[in-house]
Amino acid sequence: MKLMSSVASGKARPFQDLPGPRRFPFLGTINDIIHLGNPKTLHLTISKHHIKYGPLFKIQIGNVNAVFIKDPDMMRSVFAYEGKFPKHPLPEAWTYFNEKRKCKRGLFFMDDEEWLHYRKLLNQPLLRNTSWMIGPIKRVSDNTIKSLPHNAKHSDCKEKRFELHNVESVLYKWSIEVLLSVMLGSSYNEINAIKLNELVEQFSRTVYQIFMYSSKLMAVPPEIADRLQLDAWKQFERIVPESLAIANKIIDISIDDIERGDGLLSKLEDCIPSRDSIKRIFSDFIIAAGDTTAFATLWCLYLLAKNQAVQTMVRDETKHDFLESPLIRATVKESLRLFPIAPFIGRFLATDAIIGDYCIPKNTLALLSLYSAGRDEVNFYLPNEFLPQRWLRRDDKNQSIIPFNANASLPFAIGSRSCIGRRVALIQMQYLLSKILNEYRLTVLNDEEVDAELKLVTVPNKKVKLAFHKLQ
Ligand code: HEM
């Protein structure tokens, strides 16, 4: 009704008028290849389309009608049309695998009432009262920092310096361990960390492989990869059940020790009585936490190591508060603005919508171009510079000194289906980064500039190598 009356009153323009690349029916899916290009550089292709077609443009992807949006107000308005049970696009390789193997999965894959039921139960401990998770996060992060020199490629005791060439895998293991420790609480450290160590090592390796193979499958529809028995599909189909089996084993051991726990599992023991449901929710949490937090932290470390003046400023400001210093929070925000880990957040519109000046029909897939919005000079002064202080500096009228539009950076999404792990991720990143900066000065060892590429999430296009110089 609202849509019809806006059109009738001439306020909004019809969907057909929306600009976007033209689709040639006789080319079928070749259109997708022409319009979207290499999946690894989709963020750059979409940025170019925005320059050509504006902040809102339409495009057909396969059979799906989609719009890409980079205007901050329009991006926010999408969440007003997501409905009671927001629906997001899922990686095709995963949905095909789940259907083929009749595999029931966690929150990210759930829909409708089932999703809402579990989401409501999990919101309270994970997003509202979260102080209970600080202890477990600190314990794991302190151990990770202690273990850094043992992972060194080269160390120079005289110079008190070591090099890390596998920062990514250290951060992978850390983010998985943090999740386990949040699940188990204090009992993780006492007994389970030792008992589970080998399983956690295995799990973190398999989660990494899942990520590698599923990103290789981005360019090929999974049913074709399966029919042709492509190596990436064969490996994906082997590694996912292996990884889920390890996760189940970890959860079985953990549940057996639950009465000793003060973590998330014991908080949910009464509300989620079925062990199967617990397993599918928690194994997916660990998988979701693995690459997102590891790569988000890797980008922060890289940017700090590359910008020595910013690094010194952040170190000085975080000395007295390792968890919530405003500048460390701003550092994480700024890094996620430049390198949004989930570069395209998507919602299938639950109703007809008016976005910008246009009528967008129900069920259209609205995709937020976070990479383009975060680097648009309309939204951020010196958009390609790493300036955490832009999020803080205020004048006497409480206006930002370096102007910015906060709605242009929504790295965890907003609304009822936003990231459930946001608090876990932020607490662990802020704590680890402040502690590292307090002990070490970081420098970059890569000779060439490191850029972003997409492998499901936004990752560095080459291995990041860092040197850690012990501070006096
Ligand atoms: C810096 C780290 C992280 C980033 C940038 C991030 C980003 C996101 C985003 C953008 C979404 C929304 C996706 C959508 O609506 O389409 C999401 C959902 C989700 N995230 Fe995260 N995430 C991070 C860490 C974590 C962690 C540590 C966990 C573990 C608990 C987690 C678990 C999930 C789950 C289960 C969902 C699905 C929620 C639902 O469907 O209701 N994430 N994340």
Side-chain angles (χ1 to χ4, degrees), residues 88-89 107-108 115 119 126 179 284-285 288-289 292-293 296 336 341-342 345-347 410-413 416-422 424-425 428-429:
H88 50 201
L107 203 59
F108 187 74
W115 167 78
R119 179 77 204 205
L126 283 170
L179 235 278
D284 273 5
F285 269 8
T292 49
T293 319
L336 286 167
I341 293 300
I345 292 169
R347 287 288 178 274
L410 304 172
F412 295 97
S416 60
R417 198 147 198 180
S418 63
C419 177
I420 190 90
R422 182 173 57 89
V424 182
Q428 76 181 94
M429 288 173 72

